[in-house]
DNA sequence: CTGCTATAATAGAATTATTCTAAATTAGTA
DNA sequence: TACTAATTTAGAATAATTCTATTATAGCAG
């Protein structure tokens, strides 16, 4: 937590109480929350908070490379404070998104005809399935 | 094209002129159009068409496994009439989505702790980068 | 400390993507 | 040819996100 605060010191990023609350919620969070999830959590400590604050903060964090946007769910965006390269799996029944920690990098070579046309900046693998809970 | 028409014969899927126009547009289309792209194309032949027709048809095709939804773009859904397993790369500048035909299936093994909790139904790899045109 | 200013918070309007509704139309078939 | 279930349509509704204008404040300079 102290880490986080120091990370943003003197970067033109103001550490407001609202932002601290969001940062605390996101710190080590592996639930891949949506903007609404963050908003709900934030309302507990800041009942009068605005949705715009959530989007503003999310955007500021994204711009600073401290938060990544997950595209696995066709319905809505999820966010992930873990910016290390990793992958995800979503249960198509309950929509929960879980982490997949595996290094596929050496296998994910692009075919010649694509690699010659793109300066590649990254990749991720999305898996889909049904989780144990949803089968019982 | 004849193929397409036969594919839907007698399945409770009515081949209306609007749908035929959409099917013709999608047939062999590798541009990964959004709903709006389909709508614009459809308006050329059917100027009074409604957006709901596009979404209805897209949904009907998706339900029949004839169209897949692409999640690579955080801004909007793209659609792909190629339902064979393959992957994609998006230019983060111009947002164009291109195909990546490569078989990574053998490499994409899930870690034990995930595979034991999920009945996996599929996966795809999303690549990001800047295309040649956007660099010049 | 105090005051300044750039940055952020807020409410609410606006925009965009998508879904829903209810009435009119029509493809496919009996 | 006539019927009916499926489809089209316009427009309203919903949901996610962005924008705008005003007010408040974090962090810094003096
Ligand atoms: Mn994650
Ligand atoms: Mn494709
Ligand atoms: Zn589940
Ligand atoms: Zn490009």
């Amino acid at each position: 937590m102290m880490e986080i605060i120091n990370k943003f010191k003197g970067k033109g990023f103001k550490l407001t109480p609202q932002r601290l609350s969001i940062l605390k919620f996101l710190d080590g969070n592996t639930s891949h929350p949506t903007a609404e999830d963050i908003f709900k959590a934030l309302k507990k400590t800041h009942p009068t908070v605005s949705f715009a604050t959530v989007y503003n903060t999310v955007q500021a964090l994204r711009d600073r490379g401290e938060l990544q946007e997950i595209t696995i769910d066709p319905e809505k965006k999820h966010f992930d404070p873990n910016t290390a390269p990793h992958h995800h799996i979503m249960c198509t029944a309950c929509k929960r998104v879980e982490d997949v920690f595996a290094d596929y990098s050496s296998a994910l070579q692009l075919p010649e005809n694509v690699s010659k046309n793109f300066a590649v900046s990254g990749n991720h693998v999305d898996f889909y399935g049904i989780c144990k809970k949803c089968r019982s």
Side-chain angles (χ1 to χ4, degrees), chain A:
Chain A
M1 201 54 215
M2 224 52 224
E3 257 176 78
I4 302 171
I5 295 174
N6 288 324
K7 192 168 348 192
F8 294 108
K9 276 270 177 68
K11 296 271 177 75
F13 182 89
K14 286 191 182 176
L15 279 171
T16 65
Q18 292 91 337
R19 284 182 169 184
L20 276 173
S21 182
I22 292 177
L23 288 171
K24 212 176 291 185
F25 173 70
L26 290 176
D27 187 36
N29 188 325
T30 61
S31 71
H32 307 95
T34 63
E36 197 189 355
D37 295 333
I38 297 171
F39 179 66
K40 279 179 183 160
L42 181 54
K43 271 219 289 215
K44 288 179 192 161
T45 54
H46 295 80
T48 67
V49 79
S50 156
F51 230 113
T53 298
V54 172
Y55 281 108
N56 286 342
T57 303
V58 156
Q59 190 169 355
L61 292 173
R62 205 206 300 105
D63 291 349
R64 283 165 179 78
E66 297 296 337
L67 189 67
Q68 72 173 115
E69 216 171 88
I70 307 294
T71 63
I72 194 172
D73 183 350
E75 305 314 321
K76 46 182 48 161
K77 290 178 192 166
H78 293 246
F79 297 96
D80 195 340
N82 182 354
T83 56
H86 65 288
H87 311 285
H88 295 97
I89 183 164
M90 185 176 84
C91 173
T92 51
C94 66
K95 318 292 181 188
R96 242 158 40 91
V97 176
E98 288 188 20
D99 285 316
V100 172
F101 296 114
D103 182 1
Y104 302 121
S105 55
S106 63
L108 298 180
Q109 299 301 319
L110 282 169
E112 173 72 11
N113 68 311
V114 176
S115 62
K116 75 168 195 289
N117 282 314
F118 278 86
V120 180
S121 57
N123 68 64
H124 62 243
V125 185
D126 292 335
F127 294 88
Y128 298 88
I130 307 279
C131 77
K132 201 169 245 176
K133 199 173 285 180
C134 287
R135 272 177 294 162
S136 60

